Amino acid sequence: MKPNMRIPCVIMRGGTSRALFFHDKDLPKDEGQRDKIILSAFGSPDLRQIDGLGGATTSTSKVAVIKKSERDDADVDYFFGQVSVDHPVVGKTMNCGNISSAVGPFAIDEGLVEVVEPITRVRIYNVNTKKIINARVPVKDGRALTEGNFAIDGVPGTGAKIQLEFNHPQGAVSGKALPSGNPINTVEVEGKIYEYSFVDAANPVVFVHASQFGLKGTESPYEFEARTDCKDISRLLEVIRGTAAITIGLAKNLDDAAKNSQTLPKIGIYTEPVDYVTPDGKEIKKEDIDIVGRLFSMGRMIQAYMGTGAVCTMVAANIKGTLVNRIVTGGNGVCKKLRIGHPFGIMEAEAELDSTNDGADVSCAMIGRTARRLMDGFVYVRAE
């Protein structure tokens, strides 16, 4: 029997997610061997991830692999992996905006970029989506600054604000903002017609109105999972999500989408601004938000809101006729600042716009996040 292997590793929180960070040089080049090491590090597949460092949720089962970039327009290359909790799968087709916010601080503290105080701009090339993200990271004494007065809902306390700039985020997977060419699509499921908007920006997201499923749209993950019809609604959402996956070639059929394209596209339920109370008792007033959204990842409603999901929602808000555009602007306007009401609070996104015949083209979408290094050392993985 071989002893466990030890591999240098950093655990970082980025936004409302957490990930294991590795240097590319510390992992094998062979993709299959690399996946085995990552799965062992997380303790997947296992619903508790008890034999690894995973947190048994999609938000805490993520991996980032970083290396110094050879590109002229980037400082570091960043690969993101969504590690399945209950399947031996490392999803590679998507990016995570929350974890993207931790890439800049990691690169600074690991000596991968030249440090400039008080703000260091880190140009990040996301390998998954082949897009450039600029991270503006506060720095002090040569290290990424952690403490600050910027708060994000879903994370206790405050931290130093990291601004992420997603340049021309449209078409991250399909090459088009509207993969189907239409702002509204329909699909028939069990004799009923469902409407949805399918937008590809930063990550592709399917937008559906909560009312189509008998939902208020303000349900928390706990309330949703406690419903007697939770499984039925989840099954309907998966059919719609799978149909969109087929549209952009991520799956051959619905079964293939459910098995091999669990991470993308994402799907979310949305409704007009309305008052609601978060699970921890915070009152969200309708006048403080522009839309209510609940995103799902790998079949389950998530606690907060994905950074790339916010970017995609911002792009959708600026495409005439989409579900999001209808809710936010009434179907004809443009949106430069978007406030999304999620299960535990509000997430904001901003945009720089170029006018087009179809509304506005988002040339740059921006979100503010915080990040923090939690641990560094070695993770021990099973030799086999």
Side-chain angles (χ1 to χ4, degrees):
M1 299 291 291
K2 294 181 180 180
N4 288 179
M5 297 183 294
R6 72 174 198 165
I7 299 174
C9 176
V10 175
I11 300 178
M12 297 198 69
R13 175 188 62 78
T16 55
S17 293
R18 196 174 71 223
L20 304 189
F21 276 66
F22 295 97
H23 284 276
D24 180 80
K25 62 182 176 60
D26 293 327
L27 296 175
K29 298 300 180 186
D30 180 80
E31 184 176 338
Q33 290 298 317
R34 180 172 290 206
D35 283 358
K36 288 180 180 179
I37 285 175
I38 291 171
L39 288 167
S40 179
F42 279 86
S44 286
D46 171 37
L47 287 174
R48 296 186 300 159
Q49 291 184 321
I50 196 66
D51 198 37
L53 298 178
T57 69
T58 58
S59 296
T60 55
S61 193
K62 301 181 176 186
V63 64
V65 182
I66 314 295
K67 70 176 181 179
K68 198 172 182 66
S69 183
E70 297 179 358
R71 297 172 59 94
D72 293 334
D73 59 351
D75 299 307
V76 293
D77 292 346
Y78 149 57
F79 162 82
F80 171 77
Q82 179 68 62
V83 182
S84 176
V85 174
D86 54 356
H87 291 83
V89 174
V90 180
K92 302 178 176 69
T93 56
M94 64 176 285
N95 181 25
C96 173
N98 280 300
I99 295 306
S100 296
S101 68
V103 175
F106 177 86
I108 291 168
D109 291 347
E110 295 293 312
L112 297 177
V113 297
E114 181 180 351
V115 178
V116 178
E117 297 190 19
I119 300 292
T120 295
R121 184 183 72 154
V122 183
R123 300 172 302 164
I124 303 164
Y125 175 69
N126 177 239
V127 177
N128 310 70
T129 60
K130 298 178 174 58
K131 295 286 185 178
I132 296 291
I133 305 165
N134 288 323
R136 300 189 183 274
V137 185
V139 174
K140 185 176 182 180
D141 298 329
R143 293 184 63 85
L145 190 63
T146 298
E147 301 303 320
N149 58 8
F150 185 69
I152 57 175
D153 287 334
V155 177
T158 60
K161 182 180 179 180
I162 299 165
Q163 178 160 296
L164 291 180
E165 301 168 349
F166 293 78
N167 297 319
H168 302 288
Q170 298 89 340
V173 174
S174 66
K176 298 184 291 185
L178 292 176
S180 70
N182 302 310
I184 293 291
N185 306 278
T186 59
V187 59
E188 183 176 345
V189 185
E190 299 174 0
K192 181 177 178 180
I193 301 296
Y194 293 88
E195 287 190 341
Y196 66 95
S197 291
F198 185 28
V199 179
D200 180 6
N203 271 329
V205 178
V206 179
F207 301 90
V208 297
H209 202 286
S211 62
Q212 294 185 101
F213 307 91
L215 297 171
K216 296 179 295 182
T218 58
E219 290 83 358
S220 71
Y222 316 113
E223 292 172 324
F224 178 73
E225 292 181 5
R227 292 176 62 103
T228 57
D229 58 355
C230 171
K231 290 185 178 180
D232 291 333
I233 295 173
S234 296
R235 177 172 49 80
L236 291 172
L237 292 174
E238 176 56 27
V239 172
I240 299 170
R241 194 196 70 84
T243 301
I246 296 169
T247 301
I248 54 175
L250 290 175
K252 298 176 182 178
N253 51 50
L254 294 178
D255 289 339
D256 187 33
K259 181 179 179 181
N260 298 314
S261 188
Q262 298 178 24
T263 58
L264 285 184
K266 302 299 183 186
I267 191 167
I269 58 174
Y270 296 82
T271 194
E272 291 71 17
V274 64
D275 295 344
Y276 66 95
V277 179
T278 68
D280 55 0
K282 182 178 181 179
E283 293 185 2
I284 305 298
K285 297 295 185 181
K286 64 181 180 181
E287 57 266 25
D288 294 330
I289 54 178
D290 303 300
I291 191 171
V292 178
R294 300 291 186 263
L295 273 172
F296 288 73
S297 180
M298 302 183 84
R300 301 190 69 178
M301 184 187 292
I302 67 171
Q303 301 277 354
Y305 208 82
M306 289 175 278
T308 51
V311 172
C312 190
T313 308
M314 171 60 85
V315 171
N318 284 288
I319 300 177
K320 287 183 180 179
T322 66
L323 170 71
V324 179
N325 181 253
R326 291 176 182 176
I327 292 175
V328 174
T329 76
N332 292 307
V334 297
C335 174
K336 289 187 176 181
K337 185 173 182 179
L338 183 66
R339 302 166 300 172
I340 306 166
H342 61 72
F344 273 85
I346 302 170
M347 184 170 183
E348 295 185 358
E350 297 182 64
E352 294 177 358
L353 304 177
D354 294 328
S355 297
T356 69
N357 293 331
D358 297 321
D361 178 60
V362 176
S363 57
C364 182
M366 297 157 284
I367 58 174
R369 301 278 85 188
T370 63
R372 190 166 79 89
R373 179 178 290 232
L374 303 177
M375 187 282 295
D376 52 36
F378 297 90
V379 60
Y380 286 79
V381 300
R382 294 183 177 274
E384 66 269 21

